[in-house]
Amino acid sequence: MIGIKASPPPSAMRARITGTQSVMKIHIIEDDWGVRDALVELVRELGYTVLAFGDGESFLQADMPAPDDLVLVDLGLPGISGVDVIKRLKRLPAPPHVVAISGQPRAQIERSMRDLRGDSGVRLLRKPLVSEAITALL
Amino acid sequence: MASVLDTAVDGIIIIDEHARMMMFNKACERMFGYEAAEVIGRNVSMLTPPEHAEVHDGYVEAYKRTGHRKIIGIGREVRAKRKDGTYFPIDLSVGEAITPEGRQFIGILRDLTARKETERRLTELQGDLIRLARVSALDEMGSAIAHELNQPLTAIILYLQAVERELRRAKDTGHSEEADARRFAIIKKAQGEAQRAGSIIQRIRQLVEKRGPERKDVDLNHLVDDAIELTQIGQDRIVNVVRDYGADLPMLQADPVQIQQIVVNLVRNAFEAVRGREGGEIIVSTSLDDRHLLLSVEDNGPGIAAEMLDGLFQAFKTGKRSGMGLGLAISRTIAQSHGGELLVDPGGSDRGARFAVRLPFLSAQLSAESAADAGTLKGPRPSEPKREV
């Protein structure tokens, strides 16, 4: 399911997440310091464990997320692109939930996301983000 | 004789060696608003502004004494005074005739009012065009700028919502010193992001606001640095931008916004040239030779194809998908209006392109010197078009 619209997550996904909330981790890959830090503050305030990365390389070197984890990936990363990170995650035997975030213009996002056609379950949030969009994922 | 001179388009005045007017033709009557009868026999200084009136007698005397020519046979641009007291620019050339009645001087006057007006309009138009190109460049950068503003805005919203949640919870659990310190820290960070958004807008506004061209002492390195920051907005961050600035450069007399416009244009083009290439690199350097400040922007892209080179600096010729193709044409115009030049080394076969801007840093002193020259009329004529935009 690739869509630009921030539709609510499928109910199945939500059920699974709430069922394992205590161990679920949130991985944030965002190169902009301010956005990354604000996401960390918000998600931590919501009571989740957060792992934050400034680029795709350092994220891929760390431990891979568990199937119930949520990964927020900025599409416009320096170095390895957000799309490439998502592709790597989708190749995992049990991929985590992935949400792409982007402040790029729609046309550019569509170009990036076209690359992901065939991968399901990647949703997109456009910046500016609001906390409701994040909490809806949890 | 007089009737022949009256048919002349140019103003003609003949004076005797005491600077008394003997002849004042119809064209002069139209220019000055005096009837010939009103001026014949009077000193020509009545037609000149005070600064010339005082020296005019001196000129004639000095020439008679020394034979040193300050104006005769040379011609120069001077101001003249109409009957109503207003001044207007004329081109004046003076010839000399030895007659049985003594030495006479013949002045030929051309009214420059219209030409000055045209020059002023052209300058104004050029300023408008330069600004238009600036706005058009920003227009092309529009979505990148929106993205750049999105980042701090996103951060601000999330910070504020995090604090809001914390405070809502504090209603139930009460305040603790530690939690309050954390909330204050988040609010501080939100403020920092708001300032970041503000400074992006400020930088952009500088480039868009309508303002006349100006000249002031500027620090080239500082100017270049600011422009690079602006250009990097929304660009590929894998591209390595090397800044190699010369130390202790002298101040430059320039229009800072226009110089930044050149930098923005050249660096954007360089980004374009290395797009999608592995190990893309842009080197921006500043340096000094004996008379010029040099600014160079070099990329390691494919270079410029020979067939592109001809139209490179022409407006509306562009090899790019977007844009009006004004960047290089305008950049060269700006460099030239500063008395400088924009040059290109097209590179090719494994070498990227290199653009170099040469700007004379002595321009202030030089123009002071040439003004001094003009005083003795040995140097260039003051009517030589000075490049000022």
Side-chain angles (χ1 to χ4, degrees), chain B residues 91-234:
Chain B
D91 187 77
L92 170 66
S93 52
V94 179
E96 182 189 12
I98 310 292
T99 71
E101 294 94 59
R103 214 190 315 237
Q104 294 180 356
F105 300 97
I106 302 163
I108 300 187
L109 297 69
R110 184 163 296 166
D111 191 338
L112 297 179
T113 312
R115 201 181 81 194
K116 286 280 165 191
E117 176 60 19
T118 310
E119 277 173 15
R120 196 189 58 76
R121 277 294 302 152
L122 275 177
T123 305
E124 211 174 87
L125 274 175
Q126 193 183 41
D128 282 352
L129 185 63
I130 289 174
R131 179 175 160 274
L132 179 74
R134 208 151 61 214
V135 173
S136 129
L138 278 174
D139 183 48
E140 290 162 35
M141 293 164 74
S143 58
I145 290 166
H147 175 251
E148 196 66 12
L149 281 173
N150 249 335
Q151 307 281 39
L153 285 180
T154 295
I156 292 166
I157 293 169
L158 297 178
Y159 279 137
L160 291 179
Q161 289 183 323
V163 174
E164 187 191 17
R165 276 167 187 281
E166 287 236 4
L167 289 177
R168 203 175 290 143
R169 204 171 45 203
K171 268 214 285 211
D172 306 329
T173 61
H175 285 268
S176 78
E177 212 161 286
E178 188 220 337
D180 277 350
R182 200 169 61 236
R183 286 159 200 150
F184 278 122
I186 296 177
I187 290 172
K188 261 266 162 302
K189 286 193 279 192
Q191 286 171 0
E193 291 296 310
Q195 272 156 14
R196 174 175 150 206
S199 71
I200 293 168
I201 287 173
Q202 204 173 0
R203 223 172 255 152
I204 294 162
R205 194 163 52 199
Q206 220 174 34
L207 284 188
V208 193
E209 265 171 8
K210 188 170 171 74
R211 37 174 283 293
E214 58 176 357
R215 282 287 183 280
K216 56 183 181 191
D217 277 337
V218 294
D219 172 350
L220 182 65
N221 288 346
H222 181 76
L223 215 59
V224 171
D225 222 35
D226 242 20
I228 293 177
E229 296 290 323
L230 181 66
T231 317
Q232 276 182 308
I233 287 178

Side-chain angles (χ1 to χ4, degrees), chain B residues 243-361:
Chain B
R243 305 173 199 204
D244 178 15
Y245 298 154
D248 304 322
L249 299 183
M251 294 298 258
L252 175 69
Q253 269 269 316
D255 183 317
V257 173
Q258 291 190 354
I259 299 300
Q260 289 195 320
Q261 191 173 353
I262 298 183
V263 180
V264 169
N265 273 324
L266 295 182
V267 177
R268 281 181 71 217
N269 284 348
F271 266 109
E272 192 89 7
V274 299
R275 174 164 300 164
R277 288 171 84 90
E278 197 101 344
E281 188 172 79
I282 299 169
I283 303 170
V284 182
S285 61
T286 60
S287 58
L288 188 66
D289 69 14
D290 53 345
R291 309 192 77 140
H292 297 89
L293 279 164
L294 304 171
L295 160 72
S296 122
V297 178
E298 186 175 0
D299 63 64
N300 63 351
I304 298 163
E307 64 268 23
M308 287 295 300
L309 214 49
D310 269 350
L312 198 61
F313 290 101
Q314 283 171 35
F316 306 115
K317 285 205 172 174
T318 175
K320 292 192 236 166
R321 284 187 311 266
S322 64
M324 292 166 72
L326 280 175
L328 285 176
I330 293 286
S331 295
R332 174 167 271 185
T333 304
I334 294 173
Q336 288 171 346
S337 78
H338 281 79
E341 188 50 279
L342 170 61
L343 306 161
V344 62
D345 170 0
S349 59
D350 285 343
R351 239 164 24 87
R354 177 172 175 272
F355 287 85
V357 187
R358 302 169 72 227
L359 297 166
F361 67 87

Side-chain angles (χ1 to χ4, degrees), chain A:
Chain A
M1 187 185 114
I2 304 165
I4 306 293
K5 275 182 226 125
S7 52
S11 51
M13 178 173 150
R14 178 179 285 165
R16 226 166 1 123
I17 295 171
T18 44
T20 55
Q21 190 167 321
S22 52
V23 293
M24 172 192 181
K25 286 203 279 286
I26 297 176
H27 307 250
I28 295 168
I29 314 158
E30 162 68 62
D31 63 307
D32 186 273
W33 188 90
V35 175
R36 185 172 70 242
D37 184 66
L39 278 170
V40 168
E41 292 282 6
L42 180 78
V43 175
R44 191 178 285 154
E45 204 281 326
L46 292 168
Y48 293 93
T49 305
V50 196
L51 298 160
F53 306 89
D55 53 46
E57 285 82 350
S58 52
F59 167 75
L60 293 172
Q61 274 160 24
D63 288 341
M64 277 295 115
D68 284 333
D69 286 356
L70 174 66
V71 184
L72 295 173
V73 194
D74 184 60
L75 285 181
L77 293 173
I80 297 178
S81 75
V83 169
D84 285 337
V85 170
I86 294 172
K87 283 184 185 161
R88 294 277 276 275
L89 287 171
K90 288 297 171 187
R91 281 205 298 270
L92 291 175
H97 307 289
V98 180
V99 174
I101 49 181
S102 177
Q104 289 163 337
R106 182 174 294 266
Q108 204 173 333
I109 295 174
E110 276 168 0
R111 265 202 303 281
S112 308
M113 298 291 277
R114 207 172 295 141
D115 271 3
L116 291 176
R117 224 172 267 297
D119 287 321
S120 59
V122 177
R123 305 200 308 105
L124 179 104
L125 294 177
R126 292 189 73 185
K127 291 178 191 169
L129 300 170
V130 291
S131 66
E132 288 76 16
I134 310 287
T135 52
L137 299 169
L138 302 171

